[in-house]
């Protein structure tokens, strides 16, 4: 039976990670429609520029003696990789990170700069090769999403939202492997069941939306999900642990286009003064396109944007170049 994550698990995680993880604020979005006020939760302000630090630290800290003895291995397109590498550097652990060879160069470079060994593989092997290395060398796996401790750590984002805005009506959360969406939905629904928790995916990588519609985990081929510019949302199937939480607690999943996503990156930079990677901007894109009423929170999950992509997006006439060239 799949292990279920509870509000108590999330609260315990919040205490466990509080010595390292930043408690990010809710930033009001001034240009928002008065009938649909918006607050942005900028996880881009974490030391590793994304929410992934929460789950990775909650997992590693509970198994620290084992991690020190064995070293750790993780697989990721970038943000989880950076978080595990950063934690390993701080805690004195050996870290091996499996990354797809299509990952943005800036994300690969920063993981290497933190002292981790990077193993580049074709996208089809990204989610499996780390476990092969763990079996061969004895490393402790630190999964990016399909793990109860990781889900509980990511759920601390939802806990903080409800502490800071207890009457939130709608919480928008990105969906990839599902760890963040599962944790946030679990926390929010436990504290205020009538608050809507809506997942957001790119149209070009909407396996989770299809899964929720059909009531089963649906896998897409990497060739499909890797079409999206939102490289952090290219996971092609929901994790087993997140899926159980998502189908119980998530109210729905909406999708956004590539153009809407890049427009959201631009507007976040210019109107909210927040740097977001495309994966982190999808929730803001959904807010701009949506019709739900009441007090909204959009989780800006990460800010590790390719500098050239950001430059192209901010130059209005070249946004189509950004869309097709990165």
């Amino acid at each position: 039976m799949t292990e279920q994550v509870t509000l108590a698990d999330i609260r315990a995680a919040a205490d466990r990670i509080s010595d390292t993880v930043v408690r990010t604020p809710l930033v009001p979005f001034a240009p928002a429609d008065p009938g649909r006020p918006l607050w942005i939760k900028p996880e881009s302000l974490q030391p590793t520029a994304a929410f992934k630090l929460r789950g990775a630290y909650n997992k590693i800290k509970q198994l620290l003696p084992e991690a020190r003895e064995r070293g750790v291995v993780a697989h990721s397109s970038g943000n989880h990789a950076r978080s595990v590498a950063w934690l390993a550097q701080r805690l004195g652990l050996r870290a091996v990170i499996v990354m797809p060879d299509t990952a943005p160069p800036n994300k690969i470079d920063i993981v290497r700069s933190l002292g981790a060994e990077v193993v580049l593989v074709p996208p089809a092997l990204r989610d499996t090769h780390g476990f092969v290395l763990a079996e061969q060398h004895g490393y402790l796996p630190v999964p990016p999403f399909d793990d109860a401790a990781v889900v509980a750590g990511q759920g601390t984002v939802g806990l903080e939202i409800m502490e800071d805005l207890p009457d939130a009506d709608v919480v928008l959360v990105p969906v990839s492997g599902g760890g963040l969406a599962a944790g946030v939905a679990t926390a929010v629904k436990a504290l205020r069941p009538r608050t809507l928790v809506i997942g957001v995916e790119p149209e070009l990588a909407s396996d989770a939306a299809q899964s929720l519609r059909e009531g089963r985990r649906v896998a897409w081929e990497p060739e499909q999900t890797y079409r999206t510019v939102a490289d952090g949302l290219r996971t092609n199937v929901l994790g087993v642990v997140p899926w159980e939480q998502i189908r119980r607690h998530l109210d729905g999943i909406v999708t956004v286009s590539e153009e809407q996503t890049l427009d959201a990156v631009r507007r976040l930079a210019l109107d909210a003064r927040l740097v977001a990677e495309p994966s982190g901007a999808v929730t803001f894109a959904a807010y701009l396109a949506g019709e739900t009423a009441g007090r909204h929170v959009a989780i800006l999950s990460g800010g590790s944007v390719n500098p050239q992509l950001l430059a192209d997006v901010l130059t209005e006439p070249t946004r189509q170049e950004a869309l097709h060239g990165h």
Side-chain angles (χ1 to χ4, degrees):
M1 184 175 176
T2 304
E3 185 177 355
Q4 294 300 293
V5 177
T6 66
L7 180 61
D9 295 328
I10 295 169
R11 283 184 163 142
D15 290 340
R16 193 174 293 119
I17 67 178
S18 63
D19 61 348
T20 296
V21 171
V22 172
R23 194 188 194 289
T24 54
L26 288 183
V27 179
F29 182 63
D33 180 342
R36 303 177 70 233
L38 173 68
W39 288 262
I40 298 167
K41 178 77 166 166
E43 285 294 291
S44 50
L45 301 182
Q46 292 295 344
T48 55
F51 75 96
K52 291 285 192 178
L53 183 63
R54 297 172 181 266
Y57 191 37
N58 191 47
K59 174 72 173 181
I60 290 171
K61 194 170 185 183
Q62 292 180 77
L63 299 169
L64 193 51
E66 191 177 351
R68 285 206 167 105
E69 180 182 346
R70 297 169 55 186
V72 297
V73 65
H75 61 273
S76 166
S77 63
N79 287 328
H80 181 65
R82 180 175 178 176
S83 294
V84 172
W86 186 84
L87 287 165
Q89 185 183 64
R90 285 174 62 91
L91 298 170
L93 314 176
R94 180 179 182 187
V96 178
I97 311 294
V98 176
M99 301 183 73
D101 53 19
T102 53
N106 63 304
K107 292 190 175 183
I108 296 171
D109 290 345
I110 200 161
V111 172
R112 284 183 171 141
S113 75
L114 290 166
E117 177 187 344
V118 174
V119 178
L120 296 177
V121 297
L125 297 180
R126 184 194 74 163
D127 295 339
T128 57
H129 191 63
F131 294 104
V132 173
L133 294 177
E135 184 70 24
Q136 290 176 343
H137 302 287
Y139 303 136
L140 175 70
V142 183
F145 52 83
D146 203 1
D147 181 274
V150 171
V151 171
Q154 318 306 29
T156 60
V157 173
L159 193 65
E160 290 174 12
I161 288 171
M162 299 314 293
E163 287 172 352
D164 291 349
L165 192 69
D167 57 352
D169 296 303
V170 182
V171 175
L172 297 163
V173 56
V175 184
S176 182
L180 180 63
V184 167
T186 299
V188 171
K189 288 298 185 179
L191 294 167
R192 193 174 190 259
R194 63 179 176 170
T195 298
L196 294 177
V197 184
I198 306 293
V200 187
E201 271 188 314
E203 290 174 356
L204 297 182
S206 54
D207 58 283
Q210 183 182 349
S211 298
L212 204 57
R213 284 196 308 271
E214 298 184 8
R216 62 188 182 92
R217 292 168 65 239
V218 175
W220 284 27
E221 293 299 321
E223 291 78 11
Q224 293 175 283
T225 59
Y226 274 67
R227 295 172 300 165
T228 179
V229 72
D231 61 275
L233 303 182
R234 290 172 177 165
T235 300
N236 65 326
V237 64
L238 289 167
V240 175
V241 174
W243 167 242
E244 293 300 325
Q245 308 289 127
I246 283 171
R247 68 176 181 173
R248 281 177 170 81
H249 303 301
L250 205 66
D251 291 293
I253 298 176
V254 299
T255 61
V256 292
S257 70
E258 300 295 282
E259 183 64 23
Q260 286 173 315
T261 299
L262 291 174
D263 215 34
V265 171
R266 181 180 63 86
R267 287 200 58 184
L268 281 166
L270 297 179
D271 298 343
R273 299 159 303 283
L274 291 169
V275 173
E277 61 188 283
S279 306
V282 294
T283 53
F284 184 59
Y287 166 81
L288 294 174
E291 298 177 355
T292 46
R295 294 167 293 275
H296 288 65
V297 176
I299 298 171
L300 194 173
S301 56
S304 301
V305 63
N306 182 318
Q308 186 59 56
L309 174 65
L310 180 61
D312 290 345
V313 166
L314 292 176
T315 308
E316 185 101 24
T318 65
R319 277 171 35 231
Q320 283 300 321
E321 179 185 337
L323 185 61
H324 298 296
H326 296 272

